[in-house]
Amino acid sequence: MLRFAQTSAAFTLKRATIVSVSASKSTSSPLAGDTGRKATHLHHAMTSFLAIATPIVMLTPDSYTDGAIDKAFGMLVATTISAHSWIGMNYVATDYVPKISKSLLGPARVFNAALGFVTFVGLSKVALNNKGGVKGTVKGLWKPEKKKDV
């Protein structure tokens, strides 16, 4: 029984090593944002940053965050959200696209990179506008529109 457990554990370890080596060799593209330990660590760090920093900045009074702080935070959020979505969508593509066709993985990664870029450009535009940036846009969702008298 002990010999079987040792053999089974050695087989599992050997299989895990083979899988990780083959995965790292097959996805050396710069568009493969989901490969390696660094990508996973970065993805989790971005999730933690967004979960902690966003409520703090959103709840801070406007008098403290207007101007450069608001624009800097907005650009940081734009960068973090676009990178986070790019890496996350690459995980989805890696898991599900090969089930349809392995040849579609490359185009799916290109699409994910383009989607991340468009997200970054759009959120950057919101962050740098003069109407309150990201914080003003989110607050504007619940603030009634001012009526103009003619």
Side-chain angles (χ1 to χ4, degrees), residues 61-137:
D62 289 339
S63 61
Y64 293 131
T65 59
D66 280 347
I69 293 174
D70 189 41
K71 290 182 192 281
F73 173 74
M75 288 303 296
L76 191 60
V77 166
T79 304
T80 305
I81 288 176
S82 59
H84 185 267
S85 67
W86 172 61
I87 292 172
M89 289 305 293
N90 271 300
Y91 279 121
V92 172
T94 299
D95 288 344
Y96 295 107
V97 171
K99 292 178 182 179
I100 297 169
S101 172
K102 290 183 180 181
S103 64
L104 290 176
L105 187 58
R109 290 190 188 279
V110 171
F111 175 78
N112 289 337
L115 185 64
F117 179 73
V118 169
T119 302
F120 174 73
V121 170
L123 287 175
S124 296
K125 185 175 179 177
V126 169
L128 297 175
N129 74 18
N130 291 328
K131 298 178 182 174
V134 173
K135 187 175 179 179
T137 303

Side-chain angles (χ1 to χ4, degrees), residues 26 46-47 101 136:
S26 65
M46 287 186 282
T47 302
S101 172

